Amino acid sequence: MNSIQSDSSANVTFVRPATFFLNGFSNVPHAKYYYVFLSLVYVVTVLGNSFIMCIIYLARRLHTAKYIAVFHLALSDLCGSSALIPKIIDTFLFGHHDISYEVCFVSMFFIYHFMNLQSLTLLILAYDRLVAICFPLRYHAIVTKPAMFLIIGVMWIVSMTYFSVHVGLLNRLSICSSNVVNSYFCDYGPVCRLACNDNSLNLLMGKICFGFLICLPPVLIIISYFCIALALLKIAHGVDRIKAIKTCTSHLILVAVFYLPILSNNIAAATTPIHPNARIINNSLTQTIPPMLNPIIYTLKTEEVMQSIKELYKRSKVNTISEKIMKFSVRN
């Protein structure tokens, strides 16, 4: 270890290693097959989220406040996976386990930031459904495109500010016991545990992060759907009720895919002993699978998106035929 800095006032020597050593998948048998699997997951994630963003951009009928949020979810999924999966493959498949002190914290910031954006965007979509079903006559006045851009902008500012402080506080730790991080990325908890000075503030920030990132959004989503359920009970016609429920199904599946694995992993880790390899595999899957599934779920389960895809396909065919006719006319 090097780059030692001294604080003479506290008479404490702070040690900051030049690099960290990521040790996450080192003891997992046949891990290369898992890296191939993650590579396929990443390819599908990039293609799927790029596809849904292109559809929303090209289809005018999807230029609404709701699909601004869906576009943002796809963007967050794409950026989050890009911050995590390529680095995992580079680190463990190609043996580049060392990561510099500064790059470690930058990587940590972006992974947590985009994961937080995914969580908050699901909350925004719950708000959209709440207003649409509980206040249908005022929906277009409340959930406007400027309002959605404002909400997303505030969300970015709050998230970036919080995680800048959250990650920045790690600079106060003296990493002198070891530089080996027992995770597949620069994870906050494993890095905190390497400190040999007081890390109580960092651990508190970690608990606050878990509460706001993982616990609070699903609680608010559950409350919103409780209000939606009460509103649906007041709908007299069963057909209208079923139609309203269908508009929520894709969002409910996204919420379940995102939150249930994370909450299950954390509950299991707190209540029963889990093998480190199983914990690492489970945690990595909870971070990589939802961004891959989200665009597939929205494409297959949302009628507006499917209709837009059909319209764009028909338009492209008409344009192709028109171009052929024009070329034929020019030649003759």
Side-chain angles (χ1 to χ4, degrees), residues 119-320:
S119 178
L120 293 178
T121 306
L122 291 174
L123 180 58
I124 291 173
L125 288 169
Y127 165 73
D128 173 85
R129 291 300 83 202
L130 175 68
V131 177
I133 293 174
C134 296
F135 309 100
L137 299 179
R138 299 181 59 195
Y139 174 76
H140 293 291
I142 297 173
V143 186
T144 62
K145 288 192 280 187
M148 187 60 71
F149 279 120
L150 178 62
I151 291 170
I152 292 173
V154 170
M155 187 171 71
W156 269 76
I157 293 169
V158 171
S159 182
M160 291 186 73
T161 302
Y162 176 80
F163 284 106
S164 295
V165 175
H166 185 70
V167 175
L169 283 173
L170 290 174
N171 269 318
R172 62 184 291 275
L173 298 181
S174 181
I175 312 296
C176 56
S177 58
S178 172
N179 71 333
V180 178
V181 179
N182 291 315
S183 185
Y184 51 93
F185 74 105
C186 279
D187 200 353
Y188 192 84
V191 172
C192 278
R193 285 190 283 272
L194 299 178
C196 51
N197 61 336
D198 182 23
N199 63 356
S200 57
L201 177 60
N202 301 86
L203 294 176
L204 175 62
M205 288 294 291
K207 291 176 182 178
I208 293 172
C209 176
F210 178 77
F212 277 103
L213 176 65
I214 304 301
C215 298
L216 183 60
V219 169
L220 294 176
I221 291 171
I222 289 169
I223 292 172
S224 70
Y225 272 101
F226 178 76
C227 296
I228 288 171
L230 293 178
L232 290 175
L233 291 174
K234 296 178 182 178
I235 297 176
H237 300 288
V239 176
D240 294 335
R241 189 180 301 166
I242 292 171
K243 186 178 179 181
I245 291 172
K246 282 184 177 179
T247 65
C248 299
T249 53
S250 56
H251 178 253
L252 284 171
I253 294 171
L254 296 184
V255 170
V257 167
F258 184 83
Y259 289 111
L260 286 180
I262 297 175
L263 292 172
S264 300
N265 280 350
N266 282 277
I267 292 170
T271 55
T272 57
I274 300 177
H275 193 278
N277 289 349
R279 177 181 58 80
I280 288 172
I281 294 291
N282 289 341
N283 287 342
S284 61
L285 288 174
T286 59
Q287 285 184 278
T288 56
I289 296 300
M292 179 189 71
L293 294 180
N294 287 349
I296 298 172
I297 293 167
Y298 244 103
T299 300
L300 297 178
K301 296 294 292 182
T302 308
E303 187 176 340
E304 290 172 303
V305 175
M306 289 297 294
Q307 191 64 34
S308 297
I309 292 170
K310 292 175 184 176
E311 289 176 1
L312 290 171
Y313 176 70
K314 289 178 183 178
R315 192 190 308 169
S316 66
K317 283 187 70 176
V318 170
N319 290 338
T320 302

